[in-house]
Amino acid sequence: MLVEREAESCYLGQFIPLQYHHNMLMDANRMDNFKAAIQRQVFAGARVLELGGGTGVLSWFAAQTAAKVYCVEFNPDMVTEARRLLAMNQHGDRVEVIHADAFEYLPPEPVDFVICEMIHVAMLREKQVEVIENFKKRYAEKFPAQAMPVFIPEAILMAVQPLQQRYDFSGYQAPIIQFQLGGVFTADTVELAQPALYKIIDFQETNDLWIHWEGQMTIEQSGQLSALRFITKNVLAIVQETNSTIDWLNHYMALPLKTPIGVLAGDVIDVSFQYRTGGSIESLQNTMNVSVRSTTQQGQRQFSMAVA
């Protein structure tokens, strides 16, 4: 019988099959930006730890300059696969693949960098925040005289945006969760307002596992408010000399409202939600509330409509 954490990991997608890892290897947006950030950050002779290594590809990027990389993976099948794949690649011998739980493992020596990509849109489902916060406490206890390593990603920016989302599939109405490619525009999706930043997670700081947000957005285009889009940008590395960043943008996630609301340009909407990082998508969706302050030609009137 699986222990609680193993069962949760299976449910949360951390024990994902090899063919899904192939999809990640094929994702040029993810791969190219992580490679660029790791190449920029990891200096010759560095010590690196990766938490949740999967196929070992991010550890391998680091191994091109690092002296030693500890690659921690919880799934025993992926441990075997990562060792096989790393043996086929130059400097793969610099990576030690360790079968261990990222919540418990600490390296035998101080490290300069920690790579961790347990990331889902809105920081749901996967345990990135909890793993990093847990690691920082245990690392400081084991190596009290050492500075905290640099984390890759360094920070996460999250925003929310109101949408008019069409849910007609060959005449079949199905308002369901959708994942959308960033920067790809279709007639099925109308952006009703600009995204509102609701959370910045800086991994060098202490981060709460709970996210609570209340904010306002001004509708720019009249339509039917039927969904909230969640946007997650991962700041993989900060390039100080050019005042720029190397980023990785997750797929957008659009969560439908139970009851669409008609809105006019100029309306102000109040949005609130709360959830625990690493929790289910439903835990966010069930707390979403939207209220509309509507403007008419006769003047301004206010009304509130709570929507889950």
Side-chain angles (χ1 to χ4, degrees), residues 164-194:
Q164 175 179 287
Q165 184 66 47
R166 183 171 177 266
Y167 292 107
D168 186 301
F169 302 93
S170 299
Y172 186 68
Q173 302 303 310
I176 59 174
I177 297 169
Q178 294 184 3
F179 291 92
Q180 307 164 334
L181 289 173
V184 176
F185 301 95
T186 72
D188 290 336
T189 303
V190 178
E191 299 175 345
L192 298 178
Q194 295 299 310

Side-chain angles (χ1 to χ4, degrees), residues 29-41 152-155 233-239 242-249:
N29 175 45
R30 174 182 182 272
M31 294 285 285
D32 292 347
N33 288 304
F34 264 104
K35 183 177 182 180
I38 291 169
Q39 286 181 337
R40 172 177 175 76
Q41 296 285 73
I152 304 174
E154 295 193 39
K233 183 170 79 170
N234 307 283
V235 179
L236 304 182
I238 298 173
V239 185
T242 59
N243 195 30
S244 62
T245 57
I246 301 173
D247 302 324
W248 169 42
L249 183 67

Side-chain angles (χ1 to χ4, degrees), residues 75-215:
N75 183 343
D77 294 336
M78 287 310 305
V79 169
T80 301
E81 194 65 17
R83 288 170 178 165
R84 181 182 75 86
L85 296 174
L86 285 162
M88 299 169 59
N89 289 274
Q90 184 180 23
H91 300 315
D93 58 321
R94 297 178 182 175
V95 181
E96 181 182 350
V97 181
I98 300 157
H99 181 207
D101 189 339
F103 279 99
E104 299 174 356
Y105 180 81
L106 283 172
E109 60 180 333
V111 294
D112 303 292
F113 299 94
V114 173
I115 302 167
C116 186
E117 197 276 89
M118 299 182 187
I119 298 170
H120 187 277
V121 184
M123 306 310 287
L124 291 165
R125 300 192 73 234
E126 298 201 65
K127 300 290 189 179
Q128 176 90 4
V129 179
E130 187 172 358
V131 165
I132 295 297
E133 293 307 307
N134 182 280
F135 168 82
K136 288 189 292 189
K137 292 178 183 178
R138 293 182 297 107
Y139 187 87
E141 292 173 357
K142 183 172 182 178
F143 304 110
Q146 297 294 321
M148 195 62 61
V150 173
F151 294 95
I152 304 174
E154 295 193 39
I156 310 289
L157 281 66
M158 293 182 283
V160 63
Q161 182 179 30
L163 298 181
Q164 175 179 287
Q165 184 66 47
R166 183 171 177 266
Y167 292 107
D168 186 301
F169 302 93
S170 299
Y172 186 68
Q173 302 303 310
I176 59 174
I177 297 169
Q178 294 184 3
F179 291 92
Q180 307 164 334
L181 289 173
V184 176
F185 301 95
T186 72
D188 290 336
T189 303
V190 178
E191 299 175 345
L192 298 178
Q194 295 299 310
L197 182 70
Y198 71 84
K199 183 68 175 180
I200 298 175
I201 296 174
D202 181 345
F203 287 115
Q204 294 296 333
E205 305 294 333
T206 300
N207 295 289
D208 192 343
L209 300 183
W210 280 92
I211 292 175
H212 306 263
W213 189 74
E214 296 181 2

Side-chain angles (χ1 to χ4, degrees), residues 11 124-125 177 255 279-288:
Y11 170 73
L124 291 165
R125 300 192 73 234
I177 297 169
L255 302 185
S280 68
I281 295 173
E282 292 76 16
S283 69
L284 163 57
Q285 192 173 23
N286 291 338
T287 67
M288 292 184 340

